[in-house]
């Protein structure tokens, strides 16, 4: 008889993120996840007090992987334009199409989501602001460009998730999508030439 694999909190969190990408916060059901993982509810309660604790752990895992770890990795790239291009390619490219970002943003009013989403948004926009400042923009212009770039990122993911069939430019593969992504990245990483402006 096969023995059950010992599940970790990371296993449960990963399964919760997959469920959220498929169906939002409501899809994160202890019973459904236990069935998917071949586990019992007891296994879940060994690691988590309740469903909200799992949601928080899963979202913090998402934060670490998609924000904290990525920013750390980008620290090895000294040229700010190249750093921005790698960031945009990673954030908008083929590996970023699971629907999780739109699902998380769509549940911004959920208490467990709101705490992590606000922190992630603040960190990402601050990082983009620093990048655009490194490219020569003043503080106010760098912040505006960071907000525009981040809004573009969120919109790109939403289009890919919801209407990719009528906007093939946002698909994860194909010549049209490749050209559109390259155009977007080029525009967002364009050299900064701006007059000094009042803050």
């Amino acid at each position: 008889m096969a023995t059950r694999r010992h599940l970790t909190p990371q296993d449960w969190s990963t399964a919760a993120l997959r469920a959220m990408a498929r169906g939002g916060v409501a899809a994160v059901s202890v019973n459904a996840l236990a069935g998917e993982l071949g586990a019992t509810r007891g296994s879940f309660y060994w690691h988590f007090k309740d469903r909200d604790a799992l949601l928080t752990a899963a979202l913090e895992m998402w934060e670490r992987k998609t924000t904290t770890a990525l920013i750390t990795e980008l620290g090895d790239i000294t040229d700010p334009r190249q750093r921005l291009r790698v960031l945009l390619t990673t954030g908008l490219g083929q590996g970023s199409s699971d629907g999780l970002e739109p699902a998380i943003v769509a549940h911004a009013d959920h208490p467990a989501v709101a705490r992590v989403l606000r922190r992630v948004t603040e960190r990402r926009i601050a990082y983009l602001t620093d990048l655009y400042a490194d490219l020569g923009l003043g503080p106010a212009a760098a912040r505006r460009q960071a907000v525009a770039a981040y809004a573009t990122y969120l919109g790109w993911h939403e289009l890919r998730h919801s209407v990719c069939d009528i906007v093939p430019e946002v698909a994860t593969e194909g010549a049209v999508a490749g050209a559109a992504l390259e155009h977007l990245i080029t525009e967002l990483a364009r050299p900064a030439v701006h007059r000094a402006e009042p803050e």
Side-chain angles (χ1 to χ4, degrees):
M1 183 163 77
T3 59
R4 280 190 178 155
R5 181 173 70 91
H6 175 68
L7 294 174
T8 66
Q10 292 74 25
D11 294 323
W12 285 97
S13 295
T14 299
L17 291 176
R18 282 195 306 265
M20 200 179 303
R22 288 190 307 263
V25 170
V28 181
S29 154
V30 175
N31 287 338
L33 294 179
E36 178 184 327
L37 293 168
T40 64
R41 288 175 59 88
S43 170
F44 170 80
Y45 288 109
W46 180 259
H47 298 295
F48 300 100
K49 179 179 79 169
D50 55 27
R51 179 177 170 270
D52 278 352
L54 171 62
L55 280 172
T56 298
L59 289 162
E60 287 174 350
M61 173 187 279
W62 166 73
E63 176 183 21
R64 283 190 305 275
K65 288 184 174 181
T66 66
T67 304
T68 309
L70 180 56
I71 288 172
T72 299
E73 289 170 23
L74 292 169
D76 294 335
I77 303 172
T78 55
D79 175 45
R81 186 161 288 104
Q82 180 61 23
R83 198 159 61 243
L84 181 58
R85 286 190 69 84
V86 171
L87 173 63
L88 294 169
T89 301
T90 302
L92 297 167
Q94 187 170 0
S96 62
S97 61
D98 63 4
L100 184 56
E101 293 272 342
I104 290 171
V105 172
H107 292 88
D109 59 342
H110 187 284
V113 174
R115 285 188 298 273
V116 179
L117 181 60
R118 290 178 64 83
R119 192 167 61 233
V120 165
T121 301
E122 183 177 34
R123 178 94 189 269
R124 289 176 174 180
I125 289 177
Y127 185 75
L128 280 165
T129 300
D130 289 345
L131 266 177
Y132 282 114
D134 289 346
L135 287 170
L137 291 179
R143 169 73 182 199
R144 282 194 300 272
Q145 185 61 32
V147 171
Y150 194 59
T152 301
Y153 162 80
L154 292 176
W156 194 269
H157 277 278
E158 182 57 42
L159 287 172
R160 180 179 283 165
H161 178 67
S162 59
V163 291
C164 191
D165 58 329
I166 61 172
V167 188
E169 292 84 355
V170 300
T172 57
E173 53 190 31
V176 170
L181 181 59
E182 181 56 32
H183 172 75
L184 177 64
I185 290 171
T186 299
E187 288 301 308
L188 291 175
R190 187 172 295 286
V193 180
H194 290 265
R195 297 186 304 274
E197 55 189 278
E199 295 297 326

